[in-house]
Amino acid sequence: MKKTFAILFATTALTVGVGLPAWSAIHDGPRPQASREAVGDASDDGATLLFASDDGRRDRDHGRRFGRGDDDDDHDDDDDDDDDDDDYGYRGGAAGPAPAGTVTPPNNGLFGSGAAPKVKVN
Amino acid sequence: MRTILAALALTTALTLPGIAMARPVTLTTTLKNYGGDGAYLAIYVTDPKGAYAGTLWMAGGKSKYYEHLTDWYRATRGNIAEINGITGASVGAGRKLEITLDLADALFDAGYTLHVDAAVEDMRDSPNEVAVPLTAAGAGQTVKGRRYVASFGYAM
């Protein structure tokens, strides 16, 4: 009897130990797809969906503004903007886009040639 | 002589279609005297389904402010590769920005729409400040923007 209980206990423990992670993996996979389908179905019905993600932050942005209070990305201790000139964000060629004339425009199908745009500000 | 003429005819025939597939278009954006700093402007195109097709010009060089060009940023996730080689300085209040670029013929009268998003430091963001269909008939006409743009138009 003791032996039977021991075997039963062992198999139960083994099942829980191996089965739970596997069950979780199986049920985690399809969830995003299912959500997407649900979203698609609801959209088809013309329903308005409100997402609980941080996108809502952008959806409420009608009164948003940028300024010196924006995130200071330079990771130093001060709170100021260390790059006040409009130099295209170039800090040794770091994160900013390449200014017009320095590289060819992107190949996005909109431009008929690789010619640099001509710009005039009055 | 005959060979030269034949070669000339051949190269002309090969070159002409390439030239005809694009045309120089001048986009003119005049800003209001809104009493603030230089405006960041994203000028971009959406396809007939309303999906983002690409950017034509970015006025303003600091990428950390691009999220304020709300619709453009949502479409591109602020991808810098979209605006390499087509970025210039922000545009001051009351100033006129003229950009001349070679635009593909296929964009005209095909359901594409030209958009302008605008943002100004310490002032309200203005996504979709301007939205105009790209048509041959629309060339030379101007429209008003919602907040910062006094007039916007394109000429061919």
Side-chain angles (χ1 to χ4, degrees):
Chain A
M1 191 63 178
K2 234 182 202 180
K3 201 176 170 186
T4 311
F5 271 120
I7 291 169
L8 196 64
F9 181 78
T11 52
T12 307
L14 207 66
T15 307
V16 169
V18 174
L20 258 185
W23 186 85
S24 299
I26 289 166
H27 287 271
D28 272 352
R31 198 172 295 152
Q33 183 60 36
S35 298
R36 246 177 269 134
E37 283 164 6
V39 167
D41 289 343
S43 300
D44 290 343
D45 293 343
T48 304
L49 291 171
L50 293 175
F51 290 93
S53 74
D54 64 348
D55 281 353
R57 189 178 143 249
R58 234 181 289 290
D59 289 335
R60 294 191 305 270
D61 60 12
H62 296 297
R64 286 186 72 212
R65 52 191 68 184
F66 77 75
R68 309 228 182 268
D70 264 20
D71 286 343
D72 179 27
D73 294 329
D74 49 18
H75 303 294
D76 53 15
D77 289 337
D78 57 7
D79 207 21
D80 60 2
D81 182 351
D82 293 343
D83 188 17
D84 270 345
D85 55 339
D86 213 349
D87 59 0
Y88 311 100
Y90 261 10
R91 293 175 188 174
T102 59
V103 297
T104 54
N107 186 15
N108 54 15
L110 306 183
F111 300 104
S113 68
K118 290 170 191 150
V119 191
K120 201 165 78 177
V121 179
N122 298 318
Chain B
M1 189 64 178
R2 223 184 224 180
T3 319
I4 294 170
L5 278 179
L8 196 64
L10 188 67
T11 52
T12 308
L14 286 173
T15 313
L16 267 181
I19 293 169
M21 283 168 66
R23 64 181 89 177
V25 176
T26 301
L27 312 174
T28 304
T29 313
T30 307
L31 298 187
K32 293 177 186 170
N33 279 310
Y34 50 79
D37 285 344
Y40 270 51
L41 305 170
I43 304 176
Y44 59 100
V45 174
T46 53
D47 69 14
K49 289 177 183 170
Y52 170 80
T55 304
L56 298 178
W57 187 255
M58 171 64 79
K62 291 180 189 172
S63 55
K64 67 178 176 180
Y65 293 142
Y66 290 161
E67 66 174 300
H68 295 275
L69 300 164
T70 325
D71 286 355
W72 177 86
Y73 191 87
R74 191 178 288 136
T76 63
R77 300 255 167 216
N79 184 6
I80 298 299
E82 295 283 336
I83 51 171
N84 278 331
I86 50 170
T87 298
S90 54
V91 185
R95 308 289 290 271
K96 183 163 79 173
L97 170 72
E98 280 182 9
I99 311 150
T100 302
L101 16 85
D102 257 356
L103 278 193
D105 272 347
L107 297 176
F108 290 88
D109 299 309
Y112 286 86
T113 304
L114 221 157
H115 301 261
V116 181
D117 280 14
V120 176
E121 189 171 3
D122 293 329
M123 297 180 85
R124 284 185 167 216
D125 298 346
S126 185
N128 218 23
E129 169 84 22
V130 171
V132 288
L134 266 175
T135 60
Q141 297 178 18
T142 57
V143 294
K144 284 182 183 175
R146 294 193 304 138
R147 189 176 295 273
Y148 301 111
V149 174
S151 70
F152 176 84
Y154 56 92
M156 296 188 281

